[in-house]
Amino acid sequence: MSAVVVFEKRDKVALLRLNRPEVFNALNDEVMDKLGRTLDACEADEDIGCVVITGSDKAFAAGADIAAMKDWVYMDVYKSNFITRNWERLKTFRKPVIAAVSGLAMGGGCELAMMCDMVFAAETAKFALPEVKLAVIPGAGGTQRMPRAVGKAKAMDLVFTGRFMDATEAERAGLVSRIYPADSVLDEALATAAEISRHSLPVLMMLKESVNRAYESSLNEGLLFERRTLHAVFALDDRREGMAAFLDKRKPQFTNR
């Protein structure tokens, strides 16, 4: 039986591939449990500096597995702590994550992409939150992250209609970082991840935490957090090495300390 999440380590980059092609990588507990365990391993591995998550050419992930949910009732989802129990590991993951999206990113798949720090989209990518068509709502952050990414008006448009947003519109709206041809999007994501992973890991983690703080606090509170984090950077060996290397006109040799 094939693994539902395939892990591959390329130097300092971890590649995680969703692997349920028969259902366009629909997300279920098996997938999310495996993804969470793999992310745990990536976070514990100090040699990994960046993670890339991808799917197939046809689908990043075509949403949650409806067949698994169709007979559930309120107490099933409440008592099992549905979504919170195992879908949110990516939210707490401390290292940089790039989503390389080709084809469909619908519902939970779109929400999974939004949990990542950057989204690289193939020209074939299509994003949607179509839950309204099933008389349900997005539940893995869709109604919260989408307006933060694209604004209230665009988010309302997407969740009320369930329509697709292509890669060009998604980039213009702010959901997507970059667009590439379908045959090169993963290579570009991996190349960028390799570039990112050459930097000091503690600094990358601090940068991620600081930018995320902008979503969750006032400007003054965010500025204070940034300032205190900047002060903390001066305790790092890597900060001393980075500045010394700049002055010596050489490449820095970071030790993640």
Side-chain angles (χ1 to χ4, degrees), residues 200-232:
S200 168
L201 181 57
V203 172
L204 292 171
M205 294 164 68
M206 290 176 180
L207 283 168
K208 178 169 179 170
E209 190 174 11
S210 294
V211 174
N212 282 335
R213 184 60 64 101
Y215 281 103
E216 300 164 4
S217 62
S218 67
L219 177 59
N220 281 338
E221 287 301 315
L223 288 170
L224 177 61
F225 184 86
E226 178 189 78
R227 204 64 35 79
R228 293 292 179 256
T229 304
L230 170 66
H231 295 167

Side-chain angles (χ1 to χ4, degrees), residues 77-222:
V77 294
Y78 180 76
K79 290 174 69 176
S80 69
N81 207 14
F82 176 52
I83 294 179
T84 305
R85 182 184 74 254
N86 57 353
W87 283 59
E88 297 194 313
R89 179 62 181 94
L90 193 54
K91 183 184 75 172
T92 63
F93 188 72
R94 301 178 72 193
K95 299 177 182 180
V97 182
I98 301 174
V101 178
S102 295
L104 302 174
M106 299 171 59
C110 183
E111 291 171 306
L112 184 67
M114 287 192 290
M115 291 183 201
C116 298
D117 303 311
M118 301 166 65
V119 179
F120 285 13
E123 293 169 340
T124 60
K126 293 183 178 180
F127 301 86
L129 293 173
E131 286 85 351
V132 67
K133 297 179 180 181
L134 303 178
V136 294
I137 71 168
T143 66
Q144 304 303 301
R145 291 189 176 92
M146 187 63 80
R148 285 169 166 80
V150 305
K152 177 183 175 182
K154 181 74 75 174
M156 289 292 196
D157 176 2
L158 294 168
V159 300
F160 284 159
T161 67
R163 70 174 179 87
F164 282 110
M165 180 167 59
D166 65 21
T168 299
E169 182 182 0
E171 183 190 36
R172 186 169 62 243
L175 181 67
V176 164
S177 308
R178 308 181 194 178
I179 301 175
Y180 292 105
D183 61 358
S184 63
V185 63
L186 180 56
D187 288 340
E188 295 289 351
L190 290 168
T192 300
E195 178 184 356
I196 289 170
S197 67
R198 286 193 285 270
H199 300 308
S200 168
L201 181 57
V203 172
L204 292 171
M205 294 164 68
M206 290 176 180
L207 283 168
K208 178 169 179 170
E209 190 174 11
S210 294
V211 174
N212 282 335
R213 184 60 64 101
Y215 281 103
E216 300 164 4
S217 62
S218 67
L219 177 59
N220 281 338
E221 287 301 315

